[in-house]
Amino acid sequence: MTLTSPIRTERHDDVLVIISNNPPVNALGAAVREGLEAAIKQGTADASITAMVIRCDGRTFFAGADITEFGKPMKGPGLGTVIDMIEASDKPVVAAIHGTALGGGCEVTLGCHYRVAVPSAKIGTPEVKLGLLPGAGGTQRIPRIAGVALALEMTAIGNPISAKRAHDAGLIDRIVGEESLEADAVAFAREVAAKRPLPRASEQTATPDPDAVTAFKAANARKFRGFDAPAANIRCIEKAADGSTFAEGIVFERDEFMKLMMGTQSAAQRYMFFAERQAAKVDDIPEGTQLRSIKSVGVVGAGTMGGGISMNFLQAGIPVTIVETAPDALDRGVATIRRNYDNSAKKGRFTADKVDQLMGLLTPTLDLDALKDCDLIIEAIYENMDVKKELFGKLDAIAKPGAILASNTSYLNVDEIAAATKRPADVIGMHFFSPANVMKLLEVVRGAKTAPDVLATVMALAKPIGKVAVVSGVCPGFIGNRMLSQRQGPANAMLMQGARPDQIDKAIVDFGMPMGPFQMSDLAGVDIGWHRDPTRIESIRDALAAKGRWGQKTGKGFYDYDEKRNPTPSPEVAEIIEEFRSKSNQAKRDFTDDDILAATLYPMVNEGAKILDEGMAQRASDIDTVWIYGYGWPVYRGGPMFWANTVGLDKVVAGLEANGVEVAPLLRRKAEAGERF
């Protein structure tokens, strides 16, 4: 090997240890593949070597392919070629696994004749999460070693499995010492050095299991809806077990892989992989900015949001003081947190002791002064500017110097809230999404006077509490809700032209969203923001609210609901809509799904362009990250701005103009220049 190669070899008498050192995750880039090829050739050619071990320096085994190579001309040997060479060796090759062996890394282990792992190791093939499949023989080797059922789970769902589970399934031959991996692997290699024939996965047979395939498809139908990659993975696993030769299976796998690789869905999912990581980078925070220490958190409000927010910090091991104004509200909030944790314990996610430990970090109180020593205080009360400003004035007097004061507002002006304090530099927006203990998005709203170290601290805090943070400037609704607000108007307008609520919602759901605008209205409450005067009926919503059709909570809204909250179209609502439509003298027209998508989604893209132009978002990919993690936009479409690129910005502009929407200048400029977001 050359001095610059990430691969080196060390002799342990008759065992050659092949070591990768390619930080941070030993990605299987061209130089690594070249080094592995050369090392295997070295071990094979040396008559004094009886066996080989492949291991990695650093924190993990090979954790996957080098994603930056995707879509570019292949340099050096392909991963499949290297794996085939490992498997074809006439001397046993042992994979010594620590950390994670993921994707191509897992496939390397499958090409080895034997696998040993430390107890904490995990292996898996998560390519499906990038819209792909294991393309170096993984779909053909896993079912041959471990059976169809586990192969389906590992490839089509893509979550890694523990070393113990892998051992039980035959994917790992021996669990070895956590601190003695290399020595144990070398000893194991000597044990098997003379054993023949060598166990090669490609020479084994996978047993068909049609019942497992049927059950797997049924169990995951909802999760897989709209995605191409899970079905391709399933087809490959079935191919491995249908009596085809390994070579035939590899040709099939390669064909399916290339279809996915060249498709829009994988491009979107790979784009989002990078977009999520890019969102954490704030361009204008000075390098070397010192973060503030967050060792304790205060939360004002023990309702749904306050309780959910608190849980994030408790699970990160950060003590929380939660404040309410009334004893019953406080008790109710704490009981809800406890119930959520108890339910998790019943599902095996926590032990009972862990629940007690988490609850032990929570201090409930009715005394706002109890927050005086907190490093971060988050306000999670209802959306009323006057009430929030009054609270922040009180917090300003109570909080210690240097404490960060955050508002969970989803819409209100953070600068106006900050102006109620004498420390606007310490004030920031932290918009959690409901349920706050589940949803991954955190919109971090940077005020005009928010200090760089405050912004940097909150962005860094997102990861330990399990959130994906995106920075927004101060504007009504920030990024997500500002764009969402552009969808409802066109949806209502289509009702007046003859479209039905269920027709509009179905087009949006078929596109991949979790629900349409009228389903969302029923879930949130048709009466939210209603003026409460049943005699003042100026809109369809007013008419519904006046009749008590407030949504799911009253069993009827835009839809009628049964006792399980299953919706059906409502004849009463159809009559109300027709009455309004006939009074408006608007002609009825037919709407296709494409018409509905253009009317409702193009205005959101248009608003996204305005957000970018105003500097309210740093980059288009940040907007897409907000929509993927906060609103359920289908990841296989890459977020609204990426999706607009795939549609064609000129087509979006034409659609907006056809619907009478004023086109954002940035969108028009990009469309005319043939550019993309």
Side-chain angles (χ1 to χ4, degrees), residues 29-31 33-34 69 72-79:
R33 297 194 302 273
E34 286 170 358
E69 293 184 349
K72 297 178 183 174
M74 174 68 73
K75 287 183 185 172
L79 183 59

Side-chain angles (χ1 to χ4, degrees), residues 216-538:
F216 183 77
K217 286 179 178 176
N220 294 285
R222 188 173 175 190
K223 182 187 291 183
F224 293 163
R225 181 174 69 91
F227 286 90
D228 292 339
N233 276 278
I234 293 168
R235 286 193 294 273
C236 287
I237 300 302
E238 289 182 297
K239 183 69 176 175
D242 73 357
S244 298
T245 66
F246 182 77
E248 289 167 343
I250 289 293
V251 170
F252 187 87
E253 178 189 85
R254 174 55 30 181
D255 185 50
E256 292 285 345
F257 180 87
M258 292 312 297
K259 281 190 280 191
L260 293 174
M261 172 62 85
M262 303 312 291
T264 305
Q265 288 202 1
S266 179
Q269 289 177 256
R270 283 179 277 135
Y271 161 82
M272 287 312 306
F273 176 86
F274 289 113
E276 178 185 336
R277 284 146 185 80
Q278 190 72 11
K281 297 169 184 169
V282 185
D283 292 340
D284 58 354
I285 292 180
E287 204 170 323
T289 296
Q290 195 72 33
L291 302 184
R292 299 192 188 185
S293 173
I294 306 295
K295 294 197 173 134
S296 61
V297 172
V299 176
V300 183
T304 303
M305 285 306 296
I309 291 168
S310 298
M311 289 176 72
N312 293 306
F313 291 99
L314 296 174
Q315 280 158 241
I318 300 171
V320 174
T321 301
I322 192 166
V323 183
E324 256 297 351
T325 53
D328 58 339
L330 184 63
D331 292 344
R332 196 163 51 246
V334 172
T336 300
I337 294 172
R338 176 96 209 191
R339 186 166 61 251
N340 286 339
Y341 282 145
D342 283 339
N343 287 339
S344 291
K346 282 176 192 165
K347 292 171 185 171
R349 291 180 195 150
F350 298 134
T351 62
D353 287 346
K354 180 68 173 175
V355 173
D356 289 339
Q357 182 189 332
L358 291 168
M359 293 305 294
L361 292 170
L362 183 67
T363 304
T365 180
L366 301 172
D367 182 11
L368 207 59
D369 287 341
L371 304 178
K372 63 181 170 47
D373 293 324
C374 291
D375 300 311
L376 166 66
I377 302 172
I378 303 170
E379 162 272 308
I381 62 175
Y382 58 96
E383 289 284 82
N384 179 291
M385 179 59 85
D386 291 337
V387 176
K388 286 186 191 285
K389 283 162 71 173
E390 182 186 355
L391 174 61
F392 270 77
K394 290 177 180 174
L395 293 175
D396 188 30
I398 291 168
K400 68 182 182 182
I404 297 173
L405 306 181
S407 174
N408 178 51
T409 180
S410 59
Y411 201 86
L412 299 176
N413 188 312
V414 171
D415 290 332
E416 191 177 337
I417 293 169
T421 74
K422 297 184 179 69
R423 52 170 104 186
D426 292 340
V427 178
I428 196 166
M430 290 178 72
H431 177 207
F432 290 83
F433 283 66
S434 187
N437 54 309
V438 175
M439 295 295 284
K440 285 191 76 172
L441 181 66
L442 175 63
E443 255 183 335
V444 178
V445 187
R446 170 200 269 188
K449 296 183 178 176
T450 301
D453 66 330
V454 169
L455 180 60
T457 299
V458 171
M459 291 298 288
L461 190 58
K463 191 168 185 183
I465 63 169
K467 303 299 174 195
V468 175
V470 177
V471 177
S472 170
V474 175
C475 57
F478 315 128
I479 295 171
N481 284 341
R482 177 173 166 179
M483 289 171 68
L484 182 64
S485 69
Q486 299 303 306
R487 190 176 79 174
Q488 197 68 43
N492 290 335
M494 282 187 283
L495 294 182
M496 302 295 280
Q497 297 171 304
R500 305 182 314 276
D502 60 294
Q503 179 190 6
I504 294 169
D505 284 345
K506 182 178 184 301
I508 300 286
V509 170
D510 287 349
F511 176 79
M513 297 292 288
M515 63 180 70
F518 301 107
Q519 292 166 318
M520 183 177 278
S521 184
D522 276 2
L523 179 65
V526 177
D527 60 320
I528 287 181
W530 179 46
H531 48 64
R532 304 282 162 182
D533 181 353
T535 64
R536 185 178 137 206
I537 297 175
E538 299 163 355

Side-chain angles (χ1 to χ4, degrees), residues 494 497-500 502-508 510 589-600 602 651 659:
M494 282 187 283
Q497 297 171 304
R500 305 182 314 276
D502 60 294
Q503 179 190 6
I504 294 169
D505 284 345
K506 182 178 184 301
I508 300 286
D510 287 349
R589 55 167 284 210
D590 291 328
F591 288 90
T592 66
D593 284 359
D594 284 345
D595 293 334
I596 292 167
L597 295 178
T600 54
Y602 288 3
K651 185 178 174 184
N659 285 314

Side-chain angles (χ1 to χ4, degrees), residues 140-164:
Q140 301 306 297
R141 287 188 173 97
I142 297 174
R144 283 173 163 83
I145 299 171
V148 164
L150 183 61
L152 290 168
E153 178 191 331
M154 288 182 69
T155 60
I157 295 176
N159 295 330
I161 64 172
S162 68
K164 181 184 184 307

Side-chain angles (χ1 to χ4, degrees), residues 41-57:
K41 284 180 178 175
Q42 175 192 339
T44 305
D46 187 337
S48 65
I49 295 295
T50 61
M52 292 174 266
V53 169
I54 298 176
R55 73 163 185 84
C56 295
D57 280 343

Side-chain angles (χ1 to χ4, degrees), residues 207-222:
T207 305
D209 194 346
D211 290 345
V213 175
T214 302
F216 183 77
K217 286 179 178 176
N220 294 285
R222 188 173 175 190

